[in-house]
Amino acid sequence: MEHKDLLGLYDMSRREIELILDTALPMKDVIQRDIKKVPTLRGKALVTVFYENSTRTRTSFEIAGKYLSADTVNLAVSTSSVQKGESMRDTIKTLEVMGFDVLVMRHGMSGTPHYVAKNTKMSVINAGDGSNEHPTQALLDLFTIREKKGYLDGLKVAIVGDILHSRVARSNIYGLTKFGCEVRVVGPSTLIPPGLDNLDVKWYYSMEEALKGVDVINVLRIQKERQQHGLFPSLEEYANLYMLRPEHLLHAKEDVLVLHPGPMNRGVEISSQIADGVQALINEQVTNGVAVRMALLYLMMGGTKDEIAG
């Protein structure tokens, strides 16, 4: 790895992304074995610190570490000394002197993992910071697309929904554009952030227009916890205009892939017919998330692609 930390895909090179994706391939083989355990990271220690709720990301990091034989600890912020008034800097320093090698952090404020990375010797992985980035979700999305399509270069990808609040959208845009993909975003005007022209992204208000000829549709969760009043009239109104339905797929390529970072709001941003259909790779994304996070932990703790291949 070129950097001590993984804070986002904005500053990550295409070569580094490809290294992670390539390393995830043998890691997925480990997951599919009857005995899902290799001694690769024995003696290494990982701690996850999530200031926001999570099922997939936190659990996948924890099991990824365990599959590689690292010691893994989940710090429950709600029952930690944070509740007694301990500062974040003191919490992080405490974890550092305990001997942890990697800290995985999720926080509701954008930039928090960047602050932590500057104040610790541990390697820091951003597991989502506010509305900024969610790099490991984008990496697993890229891995899933490449696994199914065989390549990433030049694909047409539509990202649907709450772009304004989505750290998943930002990281995907940063990653996909490094492979020359045509990225389209579609949603209500109130959920389309300014400045997309600077990212070489096309934006649409019409689902039919946005999905014409696309290879991949990435549906975003409506983030009720981050919504401000007045961004759209109601969830019903949003669903009428922007919920992905079977008829929308007629505008895309015949072999279109459907992704969703989860958790899903069925009947709001995605219909059950699509979520449970053959085009959807939502459960495979979860499996691939474990493989990608195994690869990342392996590389950040000193491993190389050649070692794992051997």
Side-chain angles (χ1 to χ4, degrees):
M1 294 286 287
E2 298 173 9
H3 304 94
K4 175 179 81 73
D5 311 294
L6 176 63
L7 302 175
L9 296 195
Y10 180 80
D11 293 322
M12 183 173 279
S13 68
R14 170 175 171 149
R15 186 175 70 85
E16 198 168 13
I17 292 173
E18 289 178 324
L19 173 62
I20 296 168
L21 301 186
D22 291 344
T23 307
L25 283 170
M27 297 301 180
K28 190 168 182 179
D29 291 338
V30 173
I31 298 170
Q32 294 170 340
R33 298 175 187 172
D34 290 334
I35 299 180
K36 305 171 179 63
K37 195 81 166 179
V38 291
T40 311
L41 294 183
R42 183 176 295 160
K44 299 291 187 177
L46 160 75
V47 60
T48 62
V49 183
F50 278 58
Y51 287 80
E52 290 185 321
N53 294 333
S54 171
T55 298
R56 293 156 189 78
T57 305
R58 184 186 62 78
T59 306
S60 63
F61 265 114
E62 188 173 353
I63 197 65
K66 289 181 177 179
Y67 285 163
L68 293 170
S69 298
D71 293 312
T72 62
V73 174
N74 170 43
L75 176 66
V77 173
S78 61
T79 57
S80 73
S81 293
V82 171
Q83 303 305 315
K84 298 178 181 179
E86 183 175 60
S87 71
M88 177 177 293
R89 188 165 186 169
D90 286 340
T91 298
I92 299 307
K93 181 56 67 175
T94 298
L95 296 173
E96 179 184 296
V97 298
M98 286 182 179
F100 287 105
D101 300 288
V102 174
L103 166 72
V104 179
M105 168 171 278
R106 170 170 290 184
H107 201 280
M109 183 176 293
S110 298
T112 301
H114 300 69
Y115 164 80
V116 171
K118 291 177 181 177
N119 289 280
T120 182
K121 297 176 183 177
M122 294 181 289
S123 292
V124 176
I125 299 175
N126 180 5
D129 62 324
S131 299
N132 181 38
E133 280 213 54
H134 192 347
T136 61
Q137 178 66 48
L139 288 168
L140 75 88
D141 291 342
L142 293 173
F143 181 85
T144 302
I145 295 168
R146 193 179 74 164
E147 184 180 48
K148 291 298 181 181
K149 294 290 187 181
Y151 61 96
L152 288 168
D153 289 275
L155 292 175
K156 295 180 180 179
V157 181
I159 304 176
V160 181
D162 185 0
I163 314 298
L164 179 64
H165 299 99
S166 179
R167 52 199 178 204
V168 173
R170 283 170 178 76
S171 287
N172 265 278
I173 290 169
Y174 297 146
L176 289 164
T177 52
K178 285 179 170 63
F179 290 87
C181 295
E182 179 184 307
V183 182
R184 308 174 182 179
V185 299
V186 56
S189 59
T190 51
L191 294 180
I192 302 294
L196 287 180
D197 292 341
N198 299 328
L199 299 177
D200 196 24
V201 173
K202 299 181 179 180
W203 53 272
Y204 298 79
Y205 300 139
S206 164
M207 286 283 280
E208 290 75 14
E209 289 295 319
L211 301 184
K212 281 183 180 178
V214 298
D215 300 283
V216 181
I217 304 171
N218 199 340
V219 184
L220 302 175
R221 178 177 67 89
I222 285 295
Q223 300 186 39
K224 302 174 187 177
E225 71 275 16
R226 301 187 199 278
Q227 295 292 337
Q228 303 169 11
H229 294 296
L231 291 180
F232 50 82
S234 66
L235 291 177
E236 291 76 16
E237 180 81 8
Y238 179 88
N240 286 336
L241 294 173
Y242 294 106
M243 180 175 68
L244 187 65
R245 296 180 171 88
E247 56 265 31
H248 289 135
L249 300 190
L250 299 175
H251 300 278
K253 288 187 179 176
E254 188 174 347
D255 61 347
V256 66
L257 308 177
V258 176
L259 309 181
H260 192 299
M264 291 184 288
N265 294 305
R266 289 175 181 258
V268 177
E269 72 262 0
I270 188 169
S271 67
S272 288
Q273 297 101 306
I274 296 293
D276 299 326
V278 295
Q279 297 95 342
L281 301 174
I282 298 164
N283 289 329
E284 289 188 50
Q285 284 176 270
V286 176
T287 302
N288 290 342
V290 178
V292 165
R293 288 164 180 137
M294 287 173 69
L296 185 59
L297 292 174
Y298 172 77
L299 292 170
M300 293 186 75
M301 293 188 192
T304 68
K305 188 181 71 172
D306 292 337
E307 284 180 44
I308 194 68

